[in-house]
Amino acid sequence: MAKMWSGRFTKESSRLLDEFNASLLFDKTLYEQDIQGSMAHAKMLGQQGILDTEEVNAIIEGLQQIKKEIESGTFEWNIKDEDIHMAIEKRLTELIGAAGKKLHTARSRNDQVALDFRLYVLQKDLYFVSLLENLIQTFVDLAKKYKGVLLPGMTHLQHAQPINFAYHMLAYASMFKRDIERFLDSYERNNYSPLGCAALAGTPHPIDREFTAKELGFKAPTINCLDSVSDRDFALEILFNIATMMMHISRLAEELILWSSYEFGYITLSDEYATGSSIMPQKKNPDVPELLRGKTGRAYGNLMALLTVMKGLPLAYNKDMQEDKEGVFDSVHNAQISLIILNEILKTMQVNQKRMYQATKVGHLSATDLADYLVQKLHIPFREAHHITGRAVALAEKLGKDISDLSLEELQKVDPRIQEDILSCLDIKNSMEARDSYGGTATRQIEKQIAYFEDFLSRLKRDS
Ligand code: ARG
């Protein structure tokens, strides 16, 4: 059968060209958006008197039939049709005859693909928001459950100061909240319809772009068609948002891997979400967090690939842009399962509070509290206090103790001005609770942070 665009050609295209040129095998992912867009376009053509009512009805019914065929697996995919747009249009004409050939009036595949892909990305922006909401809820639940549980806070992966496990969980809630905001911003910025832009310059037909924009749930039609048919910023934005979100996921994944090692032992991954070794029978491997970490690399690659495809393209549409879709589908697919499985891992892992507490008893986590005590109680300049504290740490090391276990007598050997009230300052729990400044780790601050994230989640629910 002759190609839709074969009018000026005298020879059939080569099989090699067909295979190289076709996007059908991957852009069939967009079948729903394509049908949705065509229905809106047909209704508009009817409203404007470009098609008559019977033609519009036949088109709508034909498209519904095609949707059923695709979803039941009876639709015949043939790469000779090149892409999803022509595959559906060809089938429509088979089904309803002449009216099918009128659907493409005042439209081009350039605005059609821009529309389909944009609809897909906008729907995914919102889906990511809902998956991230579930994840933040899990961090809030963990924070409530483990409020007051101590673990060593680290910098340079070295023991620094004691913190609350809830605090650590809510640090991740903060990252994923920013991710939600990025997806929502992208949604708002890109929520404009390119349909009706035709090939690049608009159309002489009396179309109504406001109508199709409203029909498809957009805020309005885009303002400049030359830009609209070649704009892929919405795709780049979702790739960037996913890459950044995966970066956050990979940081947590790294901590889960460390924490589930014998050396840390802070958590035990549920058997449901851990794997064994084919040779070492004792092993329980954190494959899931490792894959989460690995998939992050792929998400970065997809972002770089599309940025590079778009670089230096002259206006307007160029076939290079067909390379925009696979990376987005790949990033979306992987990020979706990543968020879902990460949430399950967090909900099912065992938190080993005892191990975390034991870890706070090494590394002199409350050393800063001695320096703060010397400044606050004895008005010793901080630099000097820092030095005195260093001597206390050296003494503790010599005695094979943690600084929080030094006796008053031992501390007074370091500096005789130190009084009995130092002992409660050096206590690990008190040290954590002392960090009660806004945004700090003290349980009183955790209460505020929990309320903050709960309020954020309930506002999201209200606005959606
Ligand atoms: N399959 C094409 C793509 O994904 C659709 C647009 C084709 N437009 C064109 N003028 N050849 O980009």
Side-chain angles (χ1 to χ4, degrees), residues 358-395:
Q358 283 163 0
T360 65
K361 296 298 286 180
V362 291
H364 317 291
L365 288 172
S366 54
T368 317
D369 297 80
L370 174 55
D372 289 336
Y373 170 91
L374 296 170
V375 170
Q376 279 182 342
K377 292 275 164 70
L378 305 175
H379 308 292
I380 295 173
F382 183 77
R383 274 291 146 236
E384 203 182 311
H386 188 283
H387 190 76
I388 297 168
T389 306
R391 294 210 319 269
V393 169
L395 175 67

Short mmCIF file of all heavy atoms in Angstrom, two decimals, residues 358-395:
data_model
loop_
_atom_site.label_atom_id
_atom_site.label_comp_id
_atom_site.label_asym_id
_atom_site.label_seq_id
_atom_site.Cartn_x
_atom_site.Cartn_y
_atom_site.Cartn_z
N GLN A 358 24.38 2.36 70.16
CA GLN A 358 25.77 1.94 70.42
C GLN A 358 26.76 2.77 69.61
O GLN A 358 27.82 3.15 70.09
CB GLN A 358 25.97 0.46 70.07
CG GLN A 358 25.40 -0.49 71.11
CD GLN A 358 25.23 -1.92 70.55
OE1 GLN A 358 25.55 -2.17 69.38
NE2 GLN A 358 24.73 -2.82 71.39
N ALA A 359 26.35 3.06 68.37
CA ALA A 359 27.26 3.82 67.49
C ALA A 359 27.46 5.25 67.99
O ALA A 359 28.48 5.88 67.69
CB ALA A 359 26.73 3.82 66.05
N THR A 360 26.48 5.76 68.75
CA THR A 360 26.64 7.13 69.26
C THR A 360 27.64 7.18 70.42
O THR A 360 28.07 8.25 70.82
CB THR A 360 25.31 7.74 69.77
OG1 THR A 360 24.87 6.99 70.91
CG2 THR A 360 24.25 7.75 68.69
N LYS A 361 27.98 5.99 70.96
CA LYS A 361 28.89 5.96 72.11
C LYS A 361 30.36 5.85 71.70
O LYS A 361 31.23 5.65 72.54
CB LYS A 361 28.51 4.80 73.05
CG LYS A 361 27.12 4.94 73.67
CD LYS A 361 26.98 6.18 74.56
CE LYS A 361 27.72 5.99 75.88
NZ LYS A 361 27.57 7.20 76.74
N VAL A 362 30.61 5.95 70.43
CA VAL A 362 32.01 6.05 69.98
C VAL A 362 32.15 7.30 69.11
O VAL A 362 31.19 7.73 68.48
CB VAL A 362 32.48 4.82 69.16
CG1 VAL A 362 32.58 3.58 70.04
CG2 VAL A 362 31.55 4.55 67.98
N GLY A 363 33.36 7.85 69.14
CA GLY A 363 33.64 8.98 68.25
C GLY A 363 33.42 10.34 68.89
O GLY A 363 33.48 11.36 68.21
N HIS A 364 33.17 10.36 70.22
CA HIS A 364 33.12 11.64 70.95
C HIS A 364 32.13 12.63 70.34
O HIS A 364 32.45 13.78 70.08
CB HIS A 364 34.52 12.27 71.00
CG HIS A 364 35.61 11.28 71.30
ND1 HIS A 364 35.75 10.68 72.53
CD2 HIS A 364 36.58 10.75 70.51
CE1 HIS A 364 36.76 9.84 72.50
NE2 HIS A 364 37.29 9.86 71.29
N LEU A 365 30.92 12.13 70.10
CA LEU A 365 29.91 12.96 69.42
C LEU A 365 29.55 14.22 70.19
O LEU A 365 29.11 15.20 69.60
CB LEU A 365 28.64 12.13 69.18
CG LEU A 365 28.73 11.07 68.10
CD1 LEU A 365 27.47 10.21 68.10
CD2 LEU A 365 28.91 11.70 66.72
N SER A 366 29.72 14.18 71.54
CA SER A 366 29.31 15.36 72.31
C SER A 366 30.48 16.30 72.62
O SER A 366 30.37 17.16 73.48
CB SER A 366 28.56 14.95 73.58
OG SER A 366 29.33 14.03 74.34
N ALA A 367 31.60 16.12 71.89
CA ALA A 367 32.75 16.99 72.11
C ALA A 367 32.40 18.47 71.93
O ALA A 367 32.80 19.33 72.71
CB ALA A 367 33.89 16.60 71.17
N THR A 368 31.59 18.77 70.90
CA THR A 368 31.20 20.17 70.67
C THR A 368 30.47 20.74 71.89
O THR A 368 30.56 21.94 72.17
CB THR A 368 30.31 20.30 69.42
OG1 THR A 368 30.85 19.48 68.39
CG2 THR A 368 30.22 21.73 68.94
N ASP A 369 29.75 19.85 72.61
CA ASP A 369 29.01 20.32 73.78
C ASP A 369 29.95 20.79 74.89
O ASP A 369 29.63 21.72 75.63
CB ASP A 369 28.09 19.22 74.30
CG ASP A 369 27.05 18.85 73.27
OD1 ASP A 369 27.40 18.09 72.33
OD2 ASP A 369 25.93 19.36 73.35
N LEU A 370 31.11 20.16 75.00
CA LEU A 370 32.09 20.62 76.00
C LEU A 370 32.57 22.02 75.61
O LEU A 370 32.61 22.92 76.45
CB LEU A 370 33.26 19.63 76.11
CG LEU A 370 34.42 20.06 77.02
CD1 LEU A 370 33.94 20.41 78.43
CD2 LEU A 370 35.50 18.97 77.09
N ALA A 371 32.88 22.19 74.34
CA ALA A 371 33.34 23.51 73.88
C ALA A 371 32.24 24.56 74.12
O ALA A 371 32.51 25.66 74.62
CB ALA A 371 33.73 23.45 72.41
N ASP A 372 30.98 24.20 73.77
CA ASP A 372 29.86 25.13 73.98
C ASP A 372 29.70 25.47 75.46
O ASP A 372 29.42 26.61 75.82
CB ASP A 372 28.55 24.54 73.43
CG ASP A 372 28.54 24.51 71.90
OD1 ASP A 372 29.27 25.32 71.27
OD2 ASP A 372 27.81 23.68 71.32
N TYR A 373 29.90 24.46 76.33
CA TYR A 373 29.80 24.66 77.79
C TYR A 373 30.85 25.66 78.25
O TYR A 373 30.56 26.60 79.00
CB TYR A 373 29.99 23.31 78.48
CG TYR A 373 30.15 23.37 79.99
CD1 TYR A 373 29.04 23.28 80.83
CD2 TYR A 373 31.42 23.51 80.58
CE1 TYR A 373 29.19 23.33 82.22
CE2 TYR A 373 31.58 23.56 81.96
CZ TYR A 373 30.46 23.46 82.77
OH TYR A 373 30.61 23.51 84.13
N LEU A 374 32.06 25.49 77.77
CA LEU A 374 33.15 26.38 78.19
C LEU A 374 32.87 27.83 77.75
O LEU A 374 33.16 28.77 78.47
CB LEU A 374 34.49 25.90 77.60
CG LEU A 374 34.98 24.52 78.09
CD1 LEU A 374 36.19 24.04 77.27
CD2 LEU A 374 35.34 24.55 79.58
N VAL A 375 32.25 27.96 76.58
CA VAL A 375 31.91 29.30 76.08
C VAL A 375 30.76 29.89 76.89
O VAL A 375 30.84 31.01 77.40
CB VAL A 375 31.53 29.25 74.58
CG1 VAL A 375 30.94 30.57 74.11
CG2 VAL A 375 32.75 28.87 73.74
N GLN A 376 29.67 29.09 77.03
CA GLN A 376 28.44 29.63 77.64
C GLN A 376 28.59 29.84 79.15
O GLN A 376 28.19 30.87 79.67
CB GLN A 376 27.27 28.68 77.38
CG GLN A 376 26.66 28.87 76.00
CD GLN A 376 25.47 27.95 75.76
OE1 GLN A 376 25.28 26.95 76.46
NE2 GLN A 376 24.67 28.27 74.76
N LYS A 377 29.15 28.83 79.85
CA LYS A 377 29.20 28.90 81.32
C LYS A 377 30.42 29.66 81.82
O LYS A 377 30.36 30.37 82.81
CB LYS A 377 29.22 27.48 81.92
CG LYS A 377 27.94 26.70 81.73
CD LYS A 377 26.92 27.04 82.82
CE LYS A 377 25.52 26.60 82.48
NZ LYS A 377 25.31 25.15 82.48
N LEU A 378 31.56 29.46 81.14
CA LEU A 378 32.80 30.01 81.68
C LEU A 378 33.34 31.19 80.86
O LEU A 378 34.39 31.73 81.16
CB LEU A 378 33.87 28.90 81.77
CG LEU A 378 33.44 27.66 82.59
CD1 LEU A 378 34.51 26.58 82.52
CD2 LEU A 378 33.16 28.01 84.04
N HIS A 379 32.56 31.56 79.83
CA HIS A 379 32.91 32.72 78.99
C HIS A 379 34.33 32.63 78.42
O HIS A 379 35.03 33.64 78.28
CB HIS A 379 32.71 34.03 79.77
CG HIS A 379 31.33 34.10 80.37
ND1 HIS A 379 30.20 34.22 79.60
CD2 HIS A 379 30.92 34.00 81.66
CE1 HIS A 379 29.14 34.20 80.39
NE2 HIS A 379 29.54 34.06 81.65
N ILE A 380 34.75 31.42 78.12
CA ILE A 380 36.06 31.21 77.49
C ILE A 380 35.88 31.43 75.98
O ILE A 380 34.90 30.96 75.41
CB ILE A 380 36.57 29.77 77.78
CG1 ILE A 380 36.81 29.62 79.29
CG2 ILE A 380 37.81 29.42 76.97
CD1 ILE A 380 37.16 28.21 79.73
N PRO A 381 36.77 32.18 75.34
CA PRO A 381 36.62 32.37 73.88
C PRO A 381 36.58 31.02 73.13
O PRO A 381 37.27 30.09 73.53
CB PRO A 381 37.89 33.16 73.48
CG PRO A 381 38.42 33.72 74.76
CD PRO A 381 37.98 32.82 75.87
N PHE A 382 35.76 30.96 72.06
CA PHE A 382 35.51 29.66 71.41
C PHE A 382 36.79 28.96 70.95
O PHE A 382 36.94 27.75 71.11
CB PHE A 382 34.54 29.80 70.21
CG PHE A 382 34.24 28.46 69.59
CD1 PHE A 382 33.35 27.57 70.18
CD2 PHE A 382 34.90 28.03 68.43
CE1 PHE A 382 33.10 26.32 69.64
CE2 PHE A 382 34.66 26.77 67.88
CZ PHE A 382 33.75 25.92 68.49
N ARG A 383 37.72 29.73 70.39
CA ARG A 383 38.96 29.08 69.89
C ARG A 383 39.71 28.37 71.01
O ARG A 383 40.21 27.25 70.84
CB ARG A 383 39.88 30.12 69.23
CG ARG A 383 39.57 30.37 67.78
CD ARG A 383 39.90 29.17 66.89
NE ARG A 383 38.96 29.07 65.78
CZ ARG A 383 38.22 28.01 65.51
NH1 ARG A 383 38.32 26.93 66.22
NH2 ARG A 383 37.39 28.02 64.50
N GLU A 384 39.75 29.03 72.21
CA GLU A 384 40.43 28.44 73.36
C GLU A 384 39.66 27.20 73.84
O GLU A 384 40.24 26.16 74.15
CB GLU A 384 40.52 29.49 74.47
CG GLU A 384 41.63 29.25 75.47
CD GLU A 384 41.61 30.33 76.56
OE1 GLU A 384 41.53 31.54 76.18
OE2 GLU A 384 41.64 29.97 77.74
N ALA A 385 38.32 27.36 73.85
CA ALA A 385 37.45 26.26 74.28
C ALA A 385 37.65 25.03 73.37
O ALA A 385 37.68 23.88 73.82
CB ALA A 385 35.99 26.71 74.26
N HIS A 386 37.79 25.31 72.10
CA HIS A 386 38.02 24.26 71.10
C HIS A 386 39.31 23.49 71.46
O HIS A 386 39.36 22.26 71.42
CB HIS A 386 38.13 24.91 69.72
CG HIS A 386 38.19 23.94 68.56
ND1 HIS A 386 39.33 23.25 68.24
CD2 HIS A 386 37.25 23.55 67.68
CE1 HIS A 386 39.09 22.47 67.19
NE2 HIS A 386 37.83 22.64 66.83
N HIS A 387 40.32 24.25 71.84
CA HIS A 387 41.62 23.65 72.16
C HIS A 387 41.53 22.79 73.42
O HIS A 387 42.04 21.65 73.45
CB HIS A 387 42.66 24.77 72.35
CG HIS A 387 44.06 24.24 72.44
ND1 HIS A 387 44.76 23.81 71.33
CD2 HIS A 387 44.87 24.04 73.51
CE1 HIS A 387 45.95 23.37 71.71
NE2 HIS A 387 46.04 23.50 73.04
N ILE A 388 40.86 23.32 74.46
CA ILE A 388 40.69 22.57 75.72
C ILE A 388 39.95 21.26 75.44
O ILE A 388 40.31 20.18 75.91
CB ILE A 388 39.94 23.41 76.77
CG1 ILE A 388 40.76 24.68 77.12
CG2 ILE A 388 39.62 22.60 78.03
CD1 ILE A 388 39.98 25.72 77.91
N THR A 389 38.90 21.36 74.63
CA THR A 389 38.10 20.18 74.29
C THR A 389 38.95 19.14 73.57
O THR A 389 38.83 17.95 73.82
CB THR A 389 36.89 20.59 73.43
OG1 THR A 389 36.16 21.61 74.11
CG2 THR A 389 35.96 19.41 73.18
N GLY A 390 39.83 19.62 72.72
CA GLY A 390 40.75 18.72 72.02
C GLY A 390 41.58 17.92 73.02
O GLY A 390 41.80 16.71 72.83
N ARG A 391 41.99 18.58 74.11
CA ARG A 391 42.78 17.87 75.12
C ARG A 391 41.93 16.82 75.84
O ARG A 391 42.41 15.74 76.17
CB ARG A 391 43.38 18.87 76.13
CG ARG A 391 44.41 19.81 75.47
CD ARG A 391 45.52 20.27 76.44
NE ARG A 391 45.01 20.60 77.76
CZ ARG A 391 44.60 21.82 78.15
NH1 ARG A 391 44.65 22.84 77.30
NH2 ARG A 391 44.15 22.03 79.37
N ALA A 392 40.63 17.17 76.07
CA ALA A 392 39.72 16.21 76.70
C ALA A 392 39.53 14.97 75.80
O ALA A 392 39.50 13.83 76.29
CB ALA A 392 38.37 16.86 77.00
N VAL A 393 39.41 15.22 74.49
CA VAL A 393 39.27 14.10 73.54
C VAL A 393 40.52 13.22 73.59
O VAL A 393 40.43 11.98 73.64
CB VAL A 393 39.03 14.62 72.09
CG1 VAL A 393 39.16 13.49 71.07
CG2 VAL A 393 37.66 15.28 71.99
N ALA A 394 41.69 13.86 73.64
CA ALA A 394 42.96 13.11 73.68
C ALA A 394 43.01 12.25 74.95
O ALA A 394 43.41 11.07 74.89
CB ALA A 394 44.14 14.07 73.62
N LEU A 395 42.55 12.82 76.07
CA LEU A 395 42.55 12.05 77.32
C LEU A 395 41.61 10.85 77.21
O LEU A 395 41.97 9.72 77.58
CB LEU A 395 42.14 12.95 78.50
CG LEU A 395 41.99 12.23 79.84
CD1 LEU A 395 43.34 11.71 80.34
CD2 LEU A 395 41.35 13.14 80.91
#
